[in-house]
Amino acid sequence: FKAIPEAAMTLRLMFSDPEQDNKSLPEQSHGFLAIRYLLAATIIFFRDLPPRDIGEDDWQFLVDSSLLQSSTVKYLSTRSHHTRSTLMIYWAIEVVHVGLGNRADRQLKVVSGGFLAMHEKLREIHETMSLPIPF
């Protein structure tokens, strides 16, 4: 998915401080959290494709790799496999919105458009994978 590297570059520009020499997103920034959520959404999506359901090892991988906190995993594990990655993408948009504060209008539109395009691609993949295989 080219959406994730594009989002990372866009968020780095949005959340970088021009007065400091930022080489990358600080770990605690809103942009970094949004990228973590997008990566987690992608992993969850592909691990959750039917007929498979995401397992304990997969959830633990997301926690061990610092993409998600255990409380987030606990919440997501109670949701249906259809909504998990979608929730993560919308949470990423919300994190960017909060991070941008009062400069959110135009910039949020740009970022959310890319995130929603990623969601659309995931939905297309899900629909294609759900089609019966002719034999």
Side-chain angles (χ1 to χ4, degrees), residues 37 40 44 59 62-63 66-70 72-73 76 88:
Y37 281 176
I44 290 168
W59 289 121
L62 293 168
V63 172
S66 299
L67 290 175
L68 296 177
Q69 295 179 344
S70 56
T72 306
V73 165
L76 288 172
M88 295 304 306

Side-chain angles (χ1 to χ4, degrees), residues 21-59:
D21 186 22
N22 291 341
K23 301 291 185 213
S24 63
L25 288 170
E27 276 190 37
Q28 308 306 352
S29 77
H30 292 87
F32 190 81
L33 180 58
I35 294 300
R36 286 181 21 217
Y37 281 176
L38 288 180
L39 288 169
T42 305
I43 292 168
I44 290 168
F45 173 81
F46 284 106
R47 293 302 208 172
D48 246 355
L49 279 174
R52 191 170 185 270
D53 191 22
I54 193 165
E56 285 299 317
D57 290 344
D58 299 318
W59 289 121

Side-chain angles (χ1 to χ4, degrees), residues 8-127:
M9 288 185 289
T10 302
L11 292 171
R12 189 211 173 280
L13 292 172
M14 283 182 182
F15 289 108
S16 64
D17 185 354
E19 296 181 12
Q20 295 181 359
D21 186 22
N22 291 341
K23 301 291 185 213
S24 63
L25 288 170
E27 276 190 37
Q28 308 306 352
S29 77
H30 292 87
F32 190 81
L33 180 58
I35 294 300
R36 286 181 21 217
Y37 281 176
L38 288 180
L39 288 169
T42 305
I43 292 168
I44 290 168
F45 173 81
F46 284 106
R47 293 302 208 172
D48 246 355
L49 279 174
R52 191 170 185 270
D53 191 22
I54 193 165
E56 285 299 317
D57 290 344
D58 299 318
W59 289 121
Q60 192 59 47
F61 169 78
L62 293 168
V63 172
D64 291 345
S65 59
S66 299
L67 290 175
L68 296 177
Q69 295 179 344
S70 56
S71 59
T72 306
V73 165
K74 186 175 180 179
Y75 175 79
L76 288 172
S77 66
T78 65
R79 302 287 158 227
S80 72
H81 67 273
H82 299 292
T83 60
R84 292 173 182 158
S85 59
T86 301
L87 271 173
M88 295 304 306
I89 292 170
Y90 283 108
W91 287 351
I93 293 170
E94 185 62 28
V95 165
V96 172
H97 181 256
V98 169
L100 290 173
N102 59 1
R103 35 180 203 137
D105 293 340
R106 186 170 181 280
Q107 291 177 326
L108 184 63
K109 195 176 209 179
V110 169
V111 171
S112 63
F115 290 7
L116 293 174
M118 178 181 161
H119 177 263
E120 180 64 23
K121 290 292 181 193
L122 293 176
R123 190 182 63 75
E124 287 176 21
I125 292 169
H126 181 266
E127 288 176 358

